[in-house]
Amino acid sequence: MTGTTASLLTIFGATGDLARRMLLPSLHGLERDGLLPSALRVLGTARSALDTDGFRALVAEAIEEQVPASERDPDALAALLQRIQYQPAALDDASSLASLCDTISRLRDGGDAVFHLSTAPRWYAPVCDALAAHGVAGPGTRVMLEKPLGHDLASATAINDGVARAFDEDRVFRVDHYLGKEGVQNLLALRFGNALFEPLWNARHVEQVQITVAETVGVEGRGDYYDESGASRDMLQNHLLQLLCLVAIEPPSQFEPTAVRNEKIKVLRSLRPIGREEVAAETVIGQYTAGAVGGLAVPGYLDELGRGSATATFVALRAQVDNWRWKGVPFYLRTGKRMPQRCTEIYLQFRAVPHSIFDHGGAPLQPNALVIRLQPEERIELRMMHKTPGLDRNGLQLSQVALDLDMQEQFASHRRRLAYERLYLDAIEGNGTLFVRRDETEAAWQWIDAIHEGWRQAGITPRPYPAGTWGPSRAVTLAERHGHAWRE
């Protein structure tokens, strides 16, 4: 913990898309369940020229649109609206920022404060400088930073340096909303809360690991932003590498921020570099063309963007973690837009039995596998060989079956929480376990930058793939060359 429970949450960019879809509904969920501190005030700010009543109407509208009717609570909404104030401020206007800081100081009233910068990253350092200059960034305050944190290592370092002028590292909470998802945290519980898996969670028993984050949507009006980032910066550098870290980390000494983050940075520093000599063999990038997703025709990326572009909307690669536990085990990572289905999952394939006693001309034994599905539904499957019912006159016949844990069915009485409910609560209470530390961010960028430079030096450009497919055909051979196949 970095301090006591906050008495003020200030949301910069409070009228934006993220606030409407995630942040405001998350506050409603926490209010409904009585989890917000009784003294907490919420101050929204953005360039929009609203007053408090106008912003409260926007909040009510967002709750109406984004929260299922069965989860909306009029009393909770009324209580939340009473906590909320709004003050417009232009981030490039010193006088409006000064006025905002005066309001922050008054509402904080000596208590802790959380500043959530849901803005473009270029404003992170200037806003933090302004908060410090007006005396509201001292002890008892912390700042939440949204991704993407920079465009490369140099820009990420510059942002981190700028924020560090106002906030010590233990008061900087870098958000990767995937870490707030129930299924991601359950990965840690699965590994370190059960004696069954940990003895097998290493190169002696695991053949390969696949991590997939697939989206069916295109750029959805975010073309200008996405064209600057692409799949590698938008998803690979943060979400996929964070999932890889949680799969690969050693057991932390305890479940607390420093211990967990120390183990994650060890994984990132153990990633084998992929540079100019390796990118052609170890990576594939693609860009979707017109096709069909879910039976509906969709345009290609260039048609949506309205101009030419060499930005990759798909990336797949074969990573190696060069440490004692994982040496020789490939980690296949892939992410893309306009895939056949929306899916985030982790797949661990175990090594085959050393000798099969069932080789009699029937179907070959399939390796055991553990499938951890994070979205759209959360479930865990342990795939095992099982006797096929029958008299077995020609020998014992086996089939692969799944021991299936459906989280929605198992925990039907528990509401599925938005990731930001947990992240907000942790930030308000000063718990940084599920946030990303500076050295993690910069180590991830260092590894990704080498890949980008390798693509540039080798002249590698995205290969086309029709929307509704699993990327360029070359992505298939990326795994097949090593005797593996993507799970689809």
Side-chain angles (χ1 to χ4, degrees):
M1 300 288 184
T2 64
T4 56
T5 300
S7 60
L8 176 65
L9 169 65
T10 301
I11 304 174
F12 290 79
T15 61
D17 179 65
L18 179 64
R20 289 170 178 261
R21 288 187 300 105
M22 295 289 182
L23 308 185
L24 301 174
S26 294
L27 290 174
H28 171 270
L30 293 173
E31 180 72 69
R32 195 193 74 166
D33 293 344
L35 295 173
L36 290 179
S38 58
L40 181 75
R41 303 297 301 274
V42 179
L43 175 62
T45 183
R47 187 180 294 271
S48 304
L50 298 172
D51 58 13
T52 292
D53 287 340
F55 181 64
R56 287 175 175 173
L58 182 149
V59 173
E61 181 181 293
I63 303 304
E64 177 77 20
E65 292 176 352
Q66 301 296 330
V67 178
S70 61
E71 297 180 10
R72 291 198 294 268
D73 185 323
D75 293 336
L77 177 59
L80 177 63
L81 295 180
Q82 286 303 307
R83 296 179 184 267
I84 288 176
Q85 288 186 224
Y86 180 84
Q87 181 168 329
L91 301 181
D92 55 356
D93 179 36
S95 62
S96 66
L97 280 178
S99 177
L100 178 67
C101 289
D102 289 340
T103 301
I104 289 171
S105 182
R106 175 173 53 82
L107 292 178
R108 181 183 172 188
D109 193 27
D112 281 13
V114 175
F115 306 109
H116 186 183
L117 305 191
S118 178
T119 68
R122 69 179 183 275
W123 295 112
Y124 292 171
V127 169
C128 290
D129 283 339
L131 294 173
H134 292 91
V136 293
T141 64
R142 35 203 178 266
V143 62
M144 296 173 65
L145 306 178
E146 284 292 332
K147 81 165 188 79
L149 200 72
H151 188 74
D152 53 19
L153 176 59
S155 58
T157 300
I159 291 172
N160 283 327
D161 287 344
V163 172
R165 290 194 297 266
F167 293 91
D168 301 327
E169 176 59 28
D170 65 353
R171 295 190 289 124
V172 180
F173 288 52
R174 296 173 188 83
V175 175
D176 185 332
H177 74 272
Y178 265 53
L179 299 183
K181 290 180 177 292
E182 197 76 47
V184 174
Q185 291 156 72
N186 193 47
L187 174 59
L188 293 174
L190 184 75
R191 282 197 59 187
F192 303 128
N194 297 286
L196 176 65
F197 294 112
E198 186 56 26
L200 307 179
W201 210 272
N202 55 59
R204 291 184 61 190
H205 301 284
V206 176
E207 170 73 22
Q208 59 157 320
V209 179
Q210 297 182 19
I211 303 176
T212 297
V213 178
E215 300 177 284
T216 56
V217 298
V219 293
E220 304 295 304
R222 298 167 65 238
D224 289 338
Y225 156 72
Y226 191 85
D227 203 51
E228 288 294 317
S229 59
S232 59
R233 293 183 174 95
D234 185 49
M235 298 294 285
L236 175 61
Q237 183 272 335
N238 41 74
H239 298 331
L240 270 83
L241 286 187
Q242 284 293 318
L243 294 178
L244 184 152
C245 285
L246 294 180
V247 171
I249 61 171
E250 296 297 317
S253 59
Q254 54 189 313
F255 189 61
E256 61 87 32
T258 299
V260 173
R261 290 158 155 183
N262 284 348
E263 298 304 333
K264 287 199 292 178
I265 191 64
K266 290 177 186 177
V267 174
L268 291 170
R269 289 173 175 165
S270 297
L271 285 172
R272 184 184 302 174
I274 300 176
R276 178 178 180 177
E277 302 303 318
E278 298 84 22
V279 287
E282 304 290 12
T283 72
V284 176
I285 52 177
Q287 185 184 91
Y288 66 84
T289 57
V293 178
L296 298 176
V298 296
Y301 177 71
L302 299 184
D303 298 322
E304 289 185 312
L305 191 63
R307 60 177 184 271
S309 172
T311 295
T313 62
F314 172 93
V315 60
L317 57 84
R318 180 176 179 265
Q320 298 277 351
V321 180
D322 288 338
N323 63 17
W324 187 283
R325 181 182 291 261
W326 294 111
K327 182 69 174 179
V329 177
F331 283 72
Y332 295 100
L333 312 181
R334 66 175 171 177
T335 183
K337 289 189 175 294
R338 294 297 191 201
M339 300 277 98
Q341 63 186 49
R342 176 173 172 256
C343 172
T344 299
E345 75 170 29
I346 300 164
Y347 171 79
L348 285 90
Q349 179 183 308
F350 294 96
R351 297 192 183 277
V353 297
H355 171 69
S356 173
I357 65 173
F358 304 108
D359 289 337
H360 43 64
L365 291 182
Q366 298 298 313
N368 299 138
L370 182 66
V371 182
I372 304 167
R373 178 70 68 92
L374 304 178
Q375 62 181 23
E377 74 282 344
E378 294 169 3
R379 66 192 316 131
I380 298 172
E381 295 179 5
L382 181 60
R383 307 191 70 82
M384 306 174 67
M385 298 305 296
H386 188 276
K387 179 186 177 301
T388 305
L391 297 177
D392 308 312
R393 301 296 298 279
N394 296 314
L396 201 68
Q397 301 295 311
L398 303 181
S399 302
Q400 191 176 58
V401 297
L403 299 178
D404 189 355
L405 173 60
D406 186 322
M407 300 302 179
Q408 279 66 51
E409 180 180 320
Q410 185 68 30
F411 300 103
S413 62
H414 293 69
R415 182 173 65 86
R416 296 183 67 188
R417 293 191 179 277
L418 296 171
Y420 278 94
E421 292 185 43
R422 176 172 286 100
L423 297 176
Y424 262 159
L425 201 58
D426 282 358
I428 289 168
E429 295 176 348
N431 183 351
T433 305
L434 298 178
F435 296 87
V436 182
R437 200 166 64 188
R438 174 174 182 163
D439 54 359
E440 292 180 61
T441 300
E442 294 180 358
W445 272 124
Q446 185 176 18
W447 192 71
I448 293 295
D449 280 359
I451 296 174
H452 289 161
E453 181 63 16
W455 288 337
R456 188 190 66 79
Q457 291 180 349
I460 293 177
T461 55
R463 297 168 179 264
Y465 66 95
T469 65
W470 286 104
S473 58
R474 185 173 172 81
V476 176
T477 62
L478 173 70
E480 285 184 344
R481 287 198 310 272
H482 304 280
H484 300 137
W486 290 104
R487 172 178 150 79
E488 295 180 1

